[in-house]
Amino acid sequence: MEKHISMNSPQIMLVGGLIRIAQGLIAATPTLLVGLLIAAILRYYLGRDGTRRLFGGDSIRALPQSWLIGMLLPVCSIGVLPILIQMRRLAATMIQIARDATGVPLLLTLIALLGLAVLAAALPFGLMQHSVERDDPMAPLTMLTVAVPVYATPMLAMSQLGMMFQHANSPGAAFTLLILGTGMNFATPLWFGKHYGWKAAATWLVGLSVIVIAISYVINKQLVPPGVHPAGHTHAFDIYANPLSSLHQSMWATAQEAVLKQADIAGLIALAVLAVFVVIGLTLRALDIDESSVALAVSPTPEVMTPRRFDVIVPRGVVGATMLAGLVTLSVVACFAYYPSPQECLKEISLARGECLSAALSGDKDHALFWLPVWEEWSRRLEVGTFLRRGELRRYQSMQAYLIRKKLELLERELEHEPYEREEVQAVVRDIFATNSRWVRSFQN
Protein backbone atom coordinates (compact mmCIF):
# COMPACT_ATOMS: atom_id res chain seq x y z
CA MET A 1 0.00 0.00 0.00
CA GLU A 2 1.37 3.38 -0.99
CA LYS A 3 2.01 5.97 1.63
CA HIS A 4 -0.04 9.16 1.72
CA ILE A 5 1.18 11.86 -0.64
CA SER A 6 0.72 15.56 0.03
CA MET A 7 -2.10 17.32 -1.80
CA ASN A 8 0.19 19.55 -3.89
CA SER A 9 2.96 17.03 -4.59
CA PRO A 10 4.41 17.01 -8.13
CA GLN A 11 3.61 13.31 -8.37
CA ILE A 12 -0.11 13.88 -7.83
CA MET A 13 -0.11 16.80 -10.27
CA LEU A 14 1.68 14.77 -12.97
CA VAL A 15 -0.31 11.55 -12.62
CA GLY A 16 -3.58 13.46 -12.26
CA GLY A 17 -2.84 15.35 -15.46
CA LEU A 18 -2.05 12.11 -17.32
CA ILE A 19 -5.34 10.60 -16.10
CA ARG A 20 -7.30 13.55 -17.45
CA ILE A 21 -5.47 13.38 -20.81
CA ALA A 22 -6.24 9.65 -21.10
CA GLN A 23 -9.90 10.20 -20.20
CA GLY A 24 -10.13 13.12 -22.63
CA LEU A 25 -8.55 11.12 -25.45
CA ILE A 26 -11.07 8.32 -24.99
CA ALA A 27 -13.95 10.81 -25.03
CA ALA A 28 -12.54 12.78 -27.98
CA THR A 29 -11.65 9.91 -30.32
CA PRO A 30 -15.15 9.40 -31.82
CA THR A 31 -15.37 13.13 -32.51
CA LEU A 32 -11.87 13.15 -33.98
CA LEU A 33 -12.67 10.29 -36.36
CA VAL A 34 -15.83 12.00 -37.57
CA GLY A 35 -13.88 15.22 -38.05
CA LEU A 36 -11.24 13.40 -40.11
CA LEU A 37 -13.91 11.90 -42.32
CA ILE A 38 -15.68 15.22 -42.84
CA ALA A 39 -12.37 16.94 -43.58
CA ALA A 40 -11.59 14.34 -46.24
CA ILE A 41 -15.03 14.78 -47.81
CA LEU A 42 -14.70 18.55 -47.90
CA ARG A 43 -11.19 18.44 -49.33
CA TYR A 44 -11.56 15.75 -51.95
CA TYR A 45 -15.20 15.67 -53.01
CA LEU A 46 -16.31 19.27 -52.57
CA GLY A 47 -13.00 21.07 -52.95
CA ARG A 48 -12.34 24.69 -52.04
CA ASP A 49 -15.11 26.20 -54.17
CA GLY A 50 -17.67 23.58 -53.18
CA THR A 51 -16.87 24.03 -49.51
CA ARG A 52 -17.27 27.81 -49.79
CA ARG A 53 -20.66 27.34 -51.43
CA LEU A 54 -21.68 24.81 -48.78
CA PHE A 55 -20.99 27.31 -46.00
CA GLY A 56 -22.57 30.28 -47.79
CA GLY A 57 -19.47 31.86 -49.33
CA ASP A 58 -19.38 35.64 -48.91
CA SER A 59 -23.16 36.04 -48.84
CA ILE A 60 -25.17 37.43 -45.95
CA ARG A 61 -26.42 33.94 -45.14
CA ALA A 62 -22.89 32.59 -44.55
CA LEU A 63 -22.98 32.84 -40.74
CA PRO A 64 -26.42 31.27 -40.12
CA GLN A 65 -25.84 28.68 -42.83
CA SER A 66 -22.48 27.69 -41.34
CA TRP A 67 -24.04 27.49 -37.86
CA LEU A 68 -26.85 25.25 -39.16
CA ILE A 69 -24.45 22.89 -40.91
CA GLY A 70 -22.24 22.73 -37.84
CA MET A 71 -25.25 21.87 -35.67
CA LEU A 72 -26.40 19.11 -38.04
CA LEU A 73 -23.09 17.35 -38.57
CA PRO A 74 -22.46 14.57 -36.02
CA VAL A 75 -19.62 15.44 -33.67
CA CYS A 76 -20.02 12.82 -30.98
CA SER A 77 -20.61 9.57 -32.86
CA ILE A 78 -19.00 7.60 -35.65
CA GLY A 79 -20.51 5.30 -38.20
CA VAL A 80 -19.77 3.59 -41.47
CA LEU A 81 -21.75 4.62 -44.53
CA PRO A 82 -22.55 1.57 -46.67
CA ILE A 83 -22.32 3.65 -49.82
CA LEU A 84 -18.58 4.14 -49.26
CA ILE A 85 -17.68 0.62 -50.37
CA GLN A 86 -19.22 1.33 -53.80
CA MET A 87 -17.25 4.52 -54.45
CA ARG A 88 -14.48 4.66 -57.06
CA ARG A 89 -12.50 7.17 -54.97
CA LEU A 90 -12.78 5.39 -51.61
CA ALA A 91 -9.02 4.72 -51.51
CA ALA A 92 -8.20 8.41 -51.86
CA THR A 93 -10.58 9.29 -49.02
CA MET A 94 -9.13 6.65 -46.71
CA ILE A 95 -5.56 7.76 -47.48
CA GLN A 96 -6.48 11.37 -46.67
CA ILE A 97 -8.01 10.30 -43.33
CA ALA A 98 -4.98 8.15 -42.46
CA ARG A 99 -2.49 10.92 -43.24
CA ASP A 100 -4.50 13.45 -41.22
CA ALA A 101 -4.61 10.98 -38.32
CA THR A 102 -0.82 11.28 -38.07
CA GLY A 103 -0.57 14.97 -38.93
CA VAL A 104 -1.74 18.37 -37.76
CA PRO A 105 -5.25 17.27 -36.61
CA LEU A 106 -3.76 14.74 -34.18
CA LEU A 107 -1.25 17.29 -32.91
CA LEU A 108 -4.01 19.85 -32.31
CA THR A 109 -6.04 17.19 -30.52
CA LEU A 110 -3.19 16.51 -28.10
CA ILE A 111 -2.76 20.27 -27.54
CA ALA A 112 -6.48 20.56 -26.79
CA LEU A 113 -6.28 17.70 -24.27
CA LEU A 114 -3.31 19.39 -22.64
CA GLY A 115 -5.80 21.85 -21.12
CA LEU A 116 -7.25 19.03 -19.02
CA ALA A 117 -3.80 18.24 -17.66
CA VAL A 118 -3.18 21.90 -16.81
CA LEU A 119 -6.47 22.08 -14.89
CA ALA A 120 -5.75 18.84 -13.07
CA ALA A 121 -2.37 20.19 -12.00
CA ALA A 122 -3.77 23.58 -10.96
CA LEU A 123 -7.02 22.50 -9.28
CA PRO A 124 -6.69 20.18 -6.26
CA PHE A 125 -9.16 17.37 -5.70
CA GLY A 126 -12.70 18.63 -5.00
CA LEU A 127 -11.87 22.32 -5.41
CA MET A 128 -14.74 22.97 -7.83
CA GLN A 129 -17.47 21.59 -5.56
CA HIS A 130 -18.26 25.01 -4.06
CA SER A 131 -17.00 27.40 -6.77
CA VAL A 132 -20.12 28.05 -8.88
CA GLU A 133 -22.84 28.70 -6.33
CA ARG A 134 -25.85 30.78 -7.36
CA ASP A 135 -25.16 33.59 -4.88
CA ASP A 136 -21.46 33.82 -5.68
CA PRO A 137 -20.92 36.93 -7.86
CA MET A 138 -17.60 35.50 -9.09
CA ALA A 139 -19.13 32.24 -10.34
CA PRO A 140 -19.29 33.19 -14.08
CA LEU A 141 -15.71 34.51 -13.98
CA THR A 142 -14.54 31.36 -12.21
CA MET A 143 -16.18 29.24 -14.89
CA LEU A 144 -14.53 31.40 -17.58
CA THR A 145 -11.06 30.48 -16.34
CA VAL A 146 -12.01 26.80 -16.37
CA ALA A 147 -14.06 26.66 -19.58
CA VAL A 148 -11.35 27.91 -21.96
CA PRO A 149 -8.78 25.14 -21.29
CA VAL A 150 -11.50 22.50 -20.79
CA TYR A 151 -12.33 19.94 -23.45
CA ALA A 152 -15.97 18.94 -22.98
CA THR A 153 -18.03 16.88 -25.40
CA PRO A 154 -21.53 18.21 -26.11
CA MET A 155 -23.09 15.30 -24.23
CA LEU A 156 -20.93 15.97 -21.18
CA ALA A 157 -21.64 19.71 -21.23
CA MET A 158 -25.40 19.15 -21.50
CA SER A 159 -25.38 16.71 -18.58
CA GLN A 160 -23.37 19.18 -16.51
CA LEU A 161 -25.78 21.94 -17.48
CA GLY A 162 -28.68 19.87 -16.16
CA MET A 163 -26.85 19.14 -12.92
CA MET A 164 -26.11 22.85 -12.43
CA PHE A 165 -29.78 23.76 -12.69
CA GLN A 166 -30.74 20.80 -10.52
CA HIS A 167 -28.35 21.94 -7.79
CA ALA A 168 -29.34 25.60 -8.24
CA ASN A 169 -25.84 26.64 -9.26
CA SER A 170 -25.12 29.88 -11.11
CA PRO A 171 -27.05 30.06 -14.44
CA GLY A 172 -24.43 32.49 -15.72
CA ALA A 173 -21.68 29.97 -15.01
CA ALA A 174 -23.73 27.30 -16.77
CA PHE A 175 -24.03 29.49 -19.87
CA THR A 176 -20.28 30.15 -19.85
CA LEU A 177 -19.57 26.43 -19.69
CA LEU A 178 -22.01 25.67 -22.50
CA ILE A 179 -20.52 28.23 -24.91
CA LEU A 180 -16.81 28.08 -24.10
CA GLY A 181 -16.50 24.59 -22.66
CA THR A 182 -17.86 22.91 -25.79
CA GLY A 183 -16.81 25.50 -28.36
CA MET A 184 -13.19 26.12 -27.40
CA ASN A 185 -10.03 24.48 -26.11
CA PHE A 186 -6.31 25.24 -26.06
CA ALA A 187 -5.95 24.38 -29.76
CA THR A 188 -8.64 26.80 -30.98
CA PRO A 189 -6.85 30.13 -30.33
CA LEU A 190 -3.57 28.51 -31.41
CA TRP A 191 -5.01 27.62 -34.81
CA PHE A 192 -6.57 31.07 -35.22
CA GLY A 193 -3.30 32.74 -34.28
CA LYS A 194 -1.29 30.73 -36.79
CA HIS A 195 -3.62 31.41 -39.72
CA TYR A 196 -4.97 34.90 -38.97
CA GLY A 197 -2.25 36.43 -36.82
CA TRP A 198 -1.83 36.50 -33.06
CA LYS A 199 -3.22 40.00 -32.70
CA ALA A 200 -6.43 39.09 -34.51
CA ALA A 201 -6.71 35.84 -32.54
CA ALA A 202 -6.24 37.68 -29.23
CA THR A 203 -8.86 40.26 -30.24
CA TRP A 204 -11.30 37.49 -31.14
CA LEU A 205 -10.67 35.60 -27.89
CA VAL A 206 -11.05 38.69 -25.70
CA GLY A 207 -14.14 39.84 -27.60
CA LEU A 208 -15.79 36.42 -27.32
CA SER A 209 -15.00 36.19 -23.61
CA VAL A 210 -16.39 39.66 -22.91
CA ILE A 211 -19.61 38.90 -24.81
CA VAL A 212 -20.09 35.56 -23.03
CA ILE A 213 -19.41 37.04 -19.59
CA ALA A 214 -21.75 39.97 -20.26
CA ILE A 215 -24.59 37.64 -21.24
CA SER A 216 -23.80 35.39 -18.27
CA TYR A 217 -24.26 38.21 -15.76
CA VAL A 218 -27.44 39.41 -17.51
CA ILE A 219 -29.12 35.99 -17.21
CA ASN A 220 -27.52 35.02 -13.89
CA LYS A 221 -30.51 36.11 -11.78
CA GLN A 222 -33.18 35.84 -14.45
CA LEU A 223 -32.86 32.08 -15.01
CA VAL A 224 -32.88 30.95 -11.39
CA PRO A 225 -35.29 27.95 -11.25
CA PRO A 226 -38.24 28.72 -8.96
CA GLY A 227 -38.58 26.56 -5.89
CA VAL A 228 -35.09 25.05 -6.22
CA HIS A 229 -32.78 25.73 -3.29
CA PRO A 230 -28.98 25.67 -3.58
CA ALA A 231 -27.48 22.34 -2.62
CA GLY A 232 -24.30 24.00 -1.38
CA HIS A 233 -22.02 21.79 -3.44
CA THR A 234 -21.87 19.86 -6.69
CA HIS A 235 -19.79 17.00 -8.06
CA ALA A 236 -20.44 18.02 -11.67
CA PHE A 237 -17.00 19.57 -12.07
CA ASP A 238 -14.90 17.02 -10.22
CA ILE A 239 -13.78 15.75 -13.63
CA TYR A 240 -11.90 19.02 -14.25
CA ALA A 241 -9.99 19.00 -10.96
CA ASN A 242 -7.25 16.57 -10.03
CA PRO A 243 -8.72 13.06 -9.57
CA LEU A 244 -6.09 12.23 -6.94
CA SER A 245 -5.60 13.42 -3.40
CA SER A 246 -3.70 12.43 -0.29
CA LEU A 247 -6.80 10.54 0.84
CA HIS A 248 -6.37 7.91 -1.89
CA GLN A 249 -4.43 4.99 -0.53
CA SER A 250 -3.16 3.65 -3.86
CA MET A 251 -2.48 6.31 -6.47
CA TRP A 252 -1.92 3.93 -9.39
CA ALA A 253 -4.95 1.80 -8.56
CA THR A 254 -7.08 4.95 -8.47
CA ALA A 255 -5.59 6.08 -11.78
CA GLN A 256 -6.37 2.73 -13.42
CA GLU A 257 -9.91 2.76 -12.08
CA ALA A 258 -10.52 6.31 -13.34
CA VAL A 259 -9.31 5.53 -16.87
CA LEU A 260 -11.19 2.22 -17.12
CA LYS A 261 -14.38 3.91 -15.94
CA GLN A 262 -14.11 6.31 -18.90
CA ALA A 263 -13.37 3.50 -21.36
CA ASP A 264 -16.85 2.61 -22.58
CA ILE A 265 -17.42 0.42 -25.62
CA ALA A 266 -17.80 3.36 -28.03
CA GLY A 267 -14.57 4.95 -26.86
CA LEU A 268 -12.62 1.70 -27.10
CA ILE A 269 -13.88 0.99 -30.62
CA ALA A 270 -13.03 4.53 -31.69
CA LEU A 271 -9.54 4.20 -30.18
CA ALA A 272 -8.99 0.95 -32.09
CA VAL A 273 -10.10 2.54 -35.37
CA LEU A 274 -7.88 5.57 -34.75
CA ALA A 275 -4.92 3.29 -34.00
CA VAL A 276 -5.44 1.51 -37.33
CA PHE A 277 -5.52 4.84 -39.18
CA VAL A 278 -2.39 6.00 -37.35
CA VAL A 279 -0.47 2.87 -38.41
CA ILE A 280 -1.66 3.23 -42.00
CA GLY A 281 -0.87 6.95 -41.99
CA LEU A 282 2.68 6.41 -40.71
CA THR A 283 3.22 3.75 -43.37
CA LEU A 284 1.93 6.03 -46.14
CA ARG A 285 4.13 8.89 -44.95
CA ALA A 286 7.16 6.58 -44.91
CA LEU A 287 6.39 5.50 -48.49
CA ASP A 288 5.63 9.13 -49.52
CA ILE A 289 2.14 8.21 -50.76
CA ASP A 290 -0.70 10.72 -50.65
CA GLU A 291 -4.26 10.79 -51.94
CA SER A 292 -3.40 12.66 -55.14
CA SER A 293 -1.58 9.68 -56.68
CA VAL A 294 -4.49 7.37 -55.98
CA ALA A 295 -6.98 9.96 -57.18
CA LEU A 296 -5.17 10.28 -60.50
CA ALA A 297 -5.00 6.52 -60.84
CA VAL A 298 -8.75 6.11 -60.49
CA SER A 299 -9.80 9.25 -62.39
CA PRO A 300 -12.19 8.39 -65.18
CA THR A 301 -10.65 8.24 -68.64
CA PRO A 302 -12.60 8.92 -71.84
CA GLU A 303 -12.93 5.19 -72.32
CA VAL A 304 -14.31 4.67 -68.82
CA MET A 305 -16.72 7.57 -69.25
CA THR A 306 -18.48 5.81 -72.11
CA PRO A 307 -22.16 5.70 -71.08
CA ARG A 308 -23.28 2.32 -69.80
CA ARG A 309 -26.60 1.19 -68.54
CA PHE A 310 -25.64 0.65 -64.90
CA ASP A 311 -22.38 2.63 -64.76
CA VAL A 312 -23.09 6.30 -64.10
CA ILE A 313 -20.24 8.67 -63.26
CA VAL A 314 -21.52 10.72 -60.33
CA PRO A 315 -19.98 14.21 -59.94
CA ARG A 316 -17.74 14.68 -56.93
CA GLY A 317 -19.95 17.40 -55.47
CA VAL A 318 -22.97 15.11 -55.51
CA VAL A 319 -21.01 12.31 -53.83
CA GLY A 320 -19.69 14.66 -51.15
CA ALA A 321 -23.12 16.18 -50.47
CA THR A 322 -24.61 12.69 -50.22
CA MET A 323 -21.97 11.64 -47.71
CA LEU A 324 -22.55 14.72 -45.57
CA ALA A 325 -26.32 14.18 -45.72
CA GLY A 326 -25.70 10.58 -44.67
CA LEU A 327 -23.70 11.74 -41.66
CA VAL A 328 -26.53 14.08 -40.62
CA THR A 329 -29.03 11.24 -40.99
CA LEU A 330 -26.76 8.96 -38.99
CA SER A 331 -26.54 11.54 -36.19
CA VAL A 332 -30.35 11.67 -35.98
CA VAL A 333 -30.56 7.87 -35.84
CA ALA A 334 -27.80 7.78 -33.20
CA CYS A 335 -29.70 10.36 -31.14
CA PHE A 336 -32.78 8.14 -31.02
CA ALA A 337 -30.57 5.13 -30.24
CA TYR A 338 -28.81 6.92 -27.37
CA TYR A 339 -32.16 8.09 -25.98
CA PRO A 340 -34.31 4.96 -26.39
CA SER A 341 -38.03 4.60 -25.81
CA PRO A 342 -39.46 5.03 -22.29
CA GLN A 343 -40.12 1.29 -22.10
CA GLU A 344 -36.47 0.47 -22.82
CA CYS A 345 -35.25 3.11 -20.37
CA LEU A 346 -37.47 1.75 -17.61
CA LYS A 347 -36.00 -1.74 -18.13
CA GLU A 348 -32.47 -0.40 -17.75
CA ILE A 349 -33.53 1.66 -14.73
CA SER A 350 -35.03 -1.42 -13.10
CA LEU A 351 -31.69 -3.23 -13.45
CA ALA A 352 -29.63 -0.31 -12.11
CA ARG A 353 -32.10 0.27 -9.27
CA GLY A 354 -31.97 -3.33 -8.12
CA GLU A 355 -28.18 -3.44 -8.15
CA CYS A 356 -27.82 -0.08 -6.41
CA LEU A 357 -30.35 -0.52 -3.62
CA SER A 358 -29.52 -4.14 -2.82
CA ALA A 359 -25.84 -3.22 -2.55
CA ALA A 360 -26.67 -0.19 -0.39
CA LEU A 361 -28.74 -2.28 2.03
CA SER A 362 -26.07 -4.98 2.26
CA GLY A 363 -23.31 -2.47 2.99
CA ASP A 364 -21.45 -2.87 -0.32
CA LYS A 365 -20.84 0.85 -0.78
CA ASP A 366 -18.53 0.59 -3.80
CA HIS A 367 -21.03 -1.48 -5.78
CA ALA A 368 -23.87 0.88 -4.87
CA LEU A 369 -21.85 3.96 -5.80
CA PHE A 370 -21.03 2.36 -9.15
CA TRP A 371 -24.68 1.78 -10.08
CA LEU A 372 -26.04 5.02 -8.63
CA PRO A 373 -24.75 7.31 -11.44
CA VAL A 374 -25.90 4.72 -13.98
CA TRP A 375 -29.41 4.97 -12.54
CA GLU A 376 -29.24 8.76 -12.62
CA GLU A 377 -28.00 8.82 -16.21
CA TRP A 378 -30.85 6.59 -17.38
CA SER A 379 -33.31 8.84 -15.58
CA ARG A 380 -32.17 11.71 -17.81
CA ARG A 381 -32.27 9.55 -20.93
CA LEU A 382 -35.83 8.63 -19.98
CA GLU A 383 -36.85 12.28 -20.02
CA VAL A 384 -35.14 13.09 -23.32
CA GLY A 385 -36.37 9.88 -24.98
CA THR A 386 -39.91 10.65 -23.91
CA PHE A 387 -39.71 14.18 -25.29
CA LEU A 388 -38.26 13.00 -28.63
CA ARG A 389 -41.06 10.50 -29.19
CA ARG A 390 -44.05 12.27 -27.67
CA GLY A 391 -43.13 15.90 -28.26
CA GLU A 392 -43.64 16.87 -24.64
CA LEU A 393 -42.55 16.16 -21.09
CA ARG A 394 -45.34 16.76 -18.61
CA ARG A 395 -44.56 18.92 -15.60
CA TYR A 396 -45.53 16.10 -13.26
CA GLN A 397 -43.03 13.78 -14.95
CA SER A 398 -40.31 16.40 -14.72
CA MET A 399 -41.02 17.02 -11.03
CA GLN A 400 -40.97 13.29 -10.20
CA ALA A 401 -37.66 12.91 -12.04
CA TYR A 402 -36.26 15.84 -10.07
CA LEU A 403 -37.40 14.27 -6.79
CA ILE A 404 -35.90 10.86 -7.53
CA ARG A 405 -32.54 12.43 -8.38
CA LYS A 406 -32.60 14.43 -5.16
CA LYS A 407 -33.22 11.21 -3.24
CA LEU A 408 -30.35 9.55 -5.09
CA GLU A 409 -28.13 12.45 -4.08
CA LEU A 410 -29.10 11.89 -0.44
CA LEU A 411 -28.28 8.20 -0.81
CA GLU A 412 -24.89 9.08 -2.29
CA ARG A 413 -24.11 11.29 0.69
CA GLU A 414 -25.06 8.56 3.13
CA LEU A 415 -22.94 5.99 1.31
CA GLU A 416 -19.93 8.32 1.28
CA HIS A 417 -20.34 9.12 4.99
CA GLU A 418 -17.86 7.53 7.34
CA PRO A 419 -18.61 5.43 9.25
CA TYR A 420 -21.34 3.53 7.37
CA GLU A 421 -24.68 3.92 9.22
CA ARG A 422 -27.05 1.15 8.19
CA GLU A 423 -30.16 2.70 9.78
CA GLU A 424 -29.72 5.99 7.95
CA VAL A 425 -29.14 4.23 4.63
CA GLN A 426 -32.24 2.06 5.14
CA ALA A 427 -34.35 5.16 5.84
CA VAL A 428 -33.18 6.82 2.61
CA VAL A 429 -33.81 3.61 0.63
CA ARG A 430 -37.39 3.38 1.94
CA ASP A 431 -37.96 6.97 0.90
CA ILE A 432 -36.53 6.21 -2.54
CA PHE A 433 -38.91 3.28 -3.01
CA ALA A 434 -41.92 5.53 -2.42
CA THR A 435 -40.72 8.23 -4.79
CA ASN A 436 -39.63 5.68 -7.39
CA SER A 437 -43.11 4.19 -7.63
CA ARG A 438 -44.69 7.55 -8.47
CA TRP A 439 -41.88 8.38 -10.88
CA VAL A 440 -42.13 5.12 -12.83
CA ARG A 441 -45.93 5.25 -13.02
CA SER A 442 -45.81 8.78 -14.45
CA PHE A 443 -43.89 7.49 -17.47
CA GLN A 444 -45.72 4.19 -17.78
CA ASN A 445 -48.99 6.01 -18.23
Side-chain angles (χ1 to χ4, degrees):
M1 183 177 295
E2 298 182 8
K3 62 181 181 180
H4 286 295
I5 304 173
S6 64
M7 182 70 72
N8 297 321
S9 71
Q11 191 176 10
I12 283 185
M13 296 170 64
L14 176 60
V15 177
L18 293 176
I19 292 174
R20 293 308 186 203
I21 289 180
Q23 292 175 327
L25 180 60
I26 294 173
T29 302
T31 302
L32 175 61
L33 290 174
V34 173
L36 292 174
L37 176 59
I38 294 175
I41 294 172
L42 295 179
R43 176 174 177 176
Y44 186 71
Y45 290 100
L46 298 184
R48 179 179 179 181
D49 295 336
T51 302
R52 283 179 57 83
R53 289 195 299 270
L54 176 66
F55 289 96
D58 297 326
S59 65
I60 193 174
R61 70 175 189 277
L63 185 59
Q65 185 169 324
S66 300
W67 171 82
L68 179 61
I69 293 173
M71 290 292 293
L72 292 176
L73 289 177
V75 292
C76 46
S77 62
I78 186 172
V80 179
L81 301 177
I83 194 174
L84 282 178
I85 61 175
Q86 302 297 331
M87 292 183 177
R88 295 174 180 269
R89 300 176 185 91
L90 175 62
T93 304
M94 293 298 103
I95 290 177
Q96 174 65 36
I97 294 175
R99 287 178 63 88
D100 275 351
T102 57
V104 175
L106 183 61
L107 176 61
L108 291 176
T109 299
L110 296 177
I111 293 175
L113 296 178
L114 183 62
L116 296 175
V118 172
L119 285 178
L123 304 178
F125 179 83
L127 183 66
M128 292 292 293
Q129 293 183 7
H130 306 278
S131 301
V132 288
E133 292 302 306
R134 185 177 67 188
D135 298 326
D136 183 2
M138 298 297 294
L141 286 174
T142 301
M143 185 57 70
L144 175 66
T145 61
V146 174
V148 174
V150 150
Y151 166 75
T153 63
M155 295 300 300
L156 174 61
M158 292 304 295
S159 65
Q160 289 178 325
L161 196 69
M163 291 181 67
M164 291 184 73
F165 277 94
Q166 177 185 349
H167 290 79
N169 296 132
S170 166
F175 176 78
T176 303
L177 174 66
L178 181 64
I179 300 300
L180 299 181
T182 57
M184 186 183 299
N185 51 60
F186 267 178
T188 309
L190 178 64
W191 188 90
F192 274 102
K194 180 180 179 181
H195 291 84
Y196 299 102
W198 299 108
K199 183 178 180 181
T203 303
W204 165 78
L205 179 59
V206 172
L208 177 61
S209 301
V210 170
I211 292 173
V212 170
I213 284 297
I215 297 176
S216 297
Y217 276 102
V218 169
I219 68 174
N220 199 37
K221 297 298 182 182
Q222 306 300 324
L223 295 183
V224 173
V228 180
H229 301 287
H233 78 289
T234 177
H235 294 282
F237 309 110
D238 287 349
I239 60 173
Y240 300 141
N242 200 309
L244 300 175
S245 73
S246 58
L247 300 176
H248 292 101
Q249 296 293 328
S250 177
M251 181 175 63
W252 295 109
T254 304
Q256 182 181 9
E257 181 184 358
V259 174
L260 291 178
K261 187 177 181 180
Q262 181 71 39
D264 57 1
I265 184 64
L268 293 177
I269 292 175
L271 278 176
V273 174
L274 178 61
V276 171
F277 277 123
V278 168
V279 172
I280 296 174
L282 291 175
T283 304
L284 293 174
R285 288 182 180 274
L287 298 176
D288 196 23
I289 298 176
D290 59 22
E291 73 280 1
S292 60
S293 58
V294 179
L296 292 175
V298 299
S299 295
T301 62
E303 180 181 355
V304 177
M305 293 180 64
T306 302
R308 297 180 182 180
R309 184 176 181 184
F310 297 108
D311 189 10
V312 179
I313 304 300
V314 181
R316 289 186 178 184
V318 175
V319 175
T322 302
M323 295 172 70
L324 292 178
L327 285 172
V328 173
T329 303
L330 181 63
S331 67
V332 175
V333 174
C335 182
F336 276 84
Y338 187 80
Y339 297 106
S341 65
Q343 293 76 16
E344 184 67 25
C345 290
L346 290 174
K347 291 180 182 178
E348 297 293 336
I349 289 171
S350 177
L351 172 63
R353 180 177 63 243
E355 293 286 346
C356 177
L357 297 185
S358 60
L361 292 174
S362 64
D364 190 350
K365 297 190 295 183
D366 291 337
H367 193 73
L369 289 173
F370 173 83
W371 282 100
L372 194 148
V374 176
W375 184 356
E376 183 178 1
E377 180 183 355
W378 275 107
S379 74
R380 298 184 186 279
R381 290 195 191 185
L382 173 61
E383 292 182 278
V384 178
T386 300
F387 182 82
L388 288 176
R389 287 161 178 81
R390 300 177 182 175
E392 66 171 351
L393 184 69
R394 293 186 289 114
R395 183 173 178 82
Y396 181 74
Q397 293 174 320
S398 179
M399 179 56 66
Q400 292 301 321
Y402 168 77
L403 291 176
I404 193 67
R405 284 193 288 266
K406 292 295 290 184
K407 300 298 175 60
L408 291 179
E409 183 179 346
L410 292 175
L411 177 60
E412 182 181 16
R413 294 179 185 177
E414 291 296 337
L415 291 173
E416 292 177 344
H417 184 267
E418 293 292 347
Y420 175 80
E421 298 179 354
R422 182 179 298 274
E423 292 77 12
E424 296 295 332
V425 172
Q426 290 177 344
V428 175
V429 169
R430 287 194 296 268
D431 200 14
I432 287 177
F433 272 119
T435 304
N436 176 79
S437 299
R438 295 190 298 269
W439 174 53
V440 170
R441 285 198 301 270
S442 70
F443 285 92
Q444 288 176 336
N445 297 330

